[in-house]
Amino acid sequence: MTDRGLQLNRDLVLIPAYEPDDSLLSFAEALLAEDLQVMVVDDGSGEAFRPVFDRLPEAVTLLSYETNRGKGYAMKYAMEKILSMPQVEFIVTADADGQHSPKDTLRILKAAHENPEALVLGVRDFPENTPLRSRIGNRLTAKVFGRLTGIKDLEDTQTGLRAFSTKHLDLLLSMEGERYEYEMRQLMDWAKSPYPLVQVPIETIYRDKENSTSHYNALKDSSRIFRSLLDNGEAVLFTLSGIISFTLDFLLFNLFYYLARPLHMTYALAIPNVAARLISANLNFYLNRNYVFESKDPLIKDFLQYAALVAVLLTANSLLLSFYGNILGLQATVAKLCVEFTVFIISYLVQHFYIFAKKK
């Protein structure tokens, strides 16, 4: 690991860079011309890209390490260094691939000065010439983010142009994630904090139709981002509540099935399933409302919505169970396990996004 030129200015632009081209040089020079401190992190780009970093102006603070660790790691590595730079008051994070202009960097920095408690986001409008994967990915993550947090007006969840006061460094360093998912984790954790999110429109810049300069891996990095969206204490509690309720439901189903075996085969499956589900559903509602989502809505409102969900899922559950048991001839316990997985996923989504959705 090597560091170069730690300087102390009030405003600092932090640029994590992995295998950059000459656009990094022109961006850094333009920022320096605006009297901004510039810090670049070489995220293990390798010897082939050493000439690019060597050509950076001497005024640029350069941090580097040998192995690629990811964008989130690079940003947190730099933040640790900035902790020892007490004169720095505001930080802007920007990408190294030419997607951010110096003019927009100054605009969100100005917004950070005006809103020192906020995380300021430079948000894009995604016109028709935006690469399809970027347009779809941003819209989808924005929708899910809004459902999970109640912040439904956030237009760009994947922007790399962000500004904040150094007073928030401890909070930002405590957030999990080492690659692209770190930026989503920032938003998820910030939404739980008392601090505001401020959006500033910026220009949408892509150097070619497919955004070929980006190192974003559509499959791996998208999976990390969506895992970050759902990876929170609430989701863990929801899963635990579901396991408890499912265990009770499964045990009661087998008990009632044993008692109902003398009946006709159809009823011998349906009656135990309905009885077990009604009992376990009441337990699940109690746990979810009071301990998972901590709903403040009227009890009757939550109960009626939950009851409607249970009725729909119970009908679907029983029909599927009858199909697997009576038509396909699966053993009752195997059929029950097959059906429950799909029903659990549907129940999770409906409760999380609609019935107990938090409103901010």
Side-chain angles (χ1 to χ4, degrees):
M1 297 184 181
T2 60
D3 305 340
R4 186 186 79 188
L6 290 178
Q7 300 181 27
L8 302 177
N9 293 335
R10 183 188 184 200
D11 299 320
L12 182 147
V13 182
L14 166 57
I15 307 174
Y18 176 62
E19 298 184 352
D21 59 18
D22 287 352
S23 61
L24 171 62
L25 304 178
S26 58
F27 185 45
E29 290 169 355
L31 295 173
L32 291 173
E34 299 292 342
D35 294 325
L36 297 172
Q37 165 70 359
V38 179
M39 176 180 286
V40 173
V41 183
D42 173 10
D43 182 27
S45 301
E47 287 301 316
F49 292 86
R50 175 54 51 189
V52 177
F53 293 105
D54 286 343
R55 288 162 55 202
L56 285 168
E58 284 296 322
V60 172
T61 300
L62 177 62
L63 310 179
S64 63
Y65 40 84
E66 292 183 359
T67 304
N68 174 249
R69 302 292 297 271
K71 186 178 183 181
Y73 179 90
M75 287 194 288
K76 288 191 282 188
Y77 180 77
M79 290 178 195
E80 291 278 4
K81 299 291 184 180
I82 297 171
L83 285 174
S84 64
M85 303 167 64
Q87 293 184 16
V88 176
E89 297 181 22
F90 292 93
I91 299 171
V92 180
T93 61
D95 293 342
D97 55 5
Q99 292 193 35
H100 300 142
S101 70
K103 179 178 69 174
D104 285 334
T105 304
L106 290 170
R107 289 183 65 204
I108 72 159
L109 182 57
K110 179 176 182 292
H113 286 186
E114 296 170 349
N115 303 273
E117 298 299 319
L119 175 63
V120 180
L121 306 175
V123 298
R124 300 159 290 181
D125 59 3
F126 301 106
E128 288 302 317
N129 64 339
T130 302
L132 185 61
R133 68 175 184 176
S134 298
R135 190 162 66 245
I136 293 176
N138 272 277
R139 297 303 185 201
L140 181 57
T141 53
K143 288 288 186 182
V144 176
F145 177 82
R147 290 293 185 183
L148 291 174
T149 65
I151 303 176
K152 298 183 179 180
D153 63 342
L154 185 58
E155 299 177 6
D156 185 0
T157 60
Q158 297 181 35
T159 175
L161 192 61
R162 307 180 180 197
F164 48 86
S165 166
T166 53
K167 68 174 66 175
H168 298 307
L169 281 177
D170 287 339
L171 173 62
L172 293 165
L173 284 167
S174 70
M175 298 174 182
E176 297 180 358
E178 293 198 346
R179 296 192 177 274
Y180 284 101
E181 78 277 7
Y182 173 68
E183 292 177 314
M184 181 57 70
R185 174 56 68 185
Q186 272 190 4
L187 298 181
M188 293 296 295
D189 289 354
W190 200 277
K192 302 173 188 176
S193 77
Y195 307 118
L197 283 168
V198 172
Q199 301 184 68
V200 176
I202 63 172
E203 183 181 4
T204 305
I205 301 173
Y206 289 107
R207 293 170 57 183
D208 55 59
K209 187 175 181 181
E210 296 303 321
N211 192 25
S212 59
T213 58
S214 173
H215 295 286
Y216 184 89
N217 184 295
L219 181 59
K220 290 183 179 180
D221 291 315
S222 293
S223 67
R224 291 190 183 107
I225 287 172
F226 277 96
R227 189 162 59 244
S228 295
L229 276 169
L230 299 178
D231 181 19
N232 52 63
E234 185 177 89
V236 172
L237 290 175
F238 185 94
T239 303
L240 181 60
S241 168
I243 292 173
I244 293 172
S245 302
F246 169 75
T247 301
L248 178 63
D249 181 77
F250 188 72
L251 294 174
L252 289 176
F253 170 78
N254 282 279
L255 174 63
F256 295 155
Y257 173 70
Y258 176 79
L259 297 175
R261 280 191 303 175
L263 300 176
H264 186 273
M265 183 60 184
T266 299
Y267 299 107
L269 280 172
I271 291 176
N273 189 56
V274 172
R277 180 50 52 89
L278 289 176
I279 296 172
S280 64
N282 277 278
L283 174 63
N284 186 253
F285 172 76
Y286 175 79
L287 294 174
N288 288 352
R289 185 177 189 275
N290 293 284
Y291 299 104
V292 178
F293 301 106
E294 299 179 342
S295 174
K296 304 301 181 184
D297 288 340
L299 174 63
I300 187 64
K301 175 178 178 292
D302 284 344
F303 181 79
L304 289 176
Q305 289 181 328
Y306 184 86
L309 172 66
V310 169
V312 171
L313 293 180
L314 183 60
T315 300
N317 186 294
S318 296
L319 290 174
L320 286 171
L321 190 61
S322 179
F323 172 78
Y324 284 123
N326 297 331
I327 298 178
L328 297 185
L330 295 179
Q331 196 270 336
T333 300
V334 176
K336 178 72 171 175
L337 287 171
C338 292
V339 173
E340 285 303 323
F341 178 76
T342 301
V343 172
F344 178 81
I345 295 298
I346 296 172
S347 177
Y348 175 88
L349 295 174
V350 174
Q351 290 183 65
H352 210 77
F353 292 162
Y354 295 99
I355 297 178
F356 299 113
K358 286 181 171 59
K359 304 172 180 64
K360 293 190 179 180

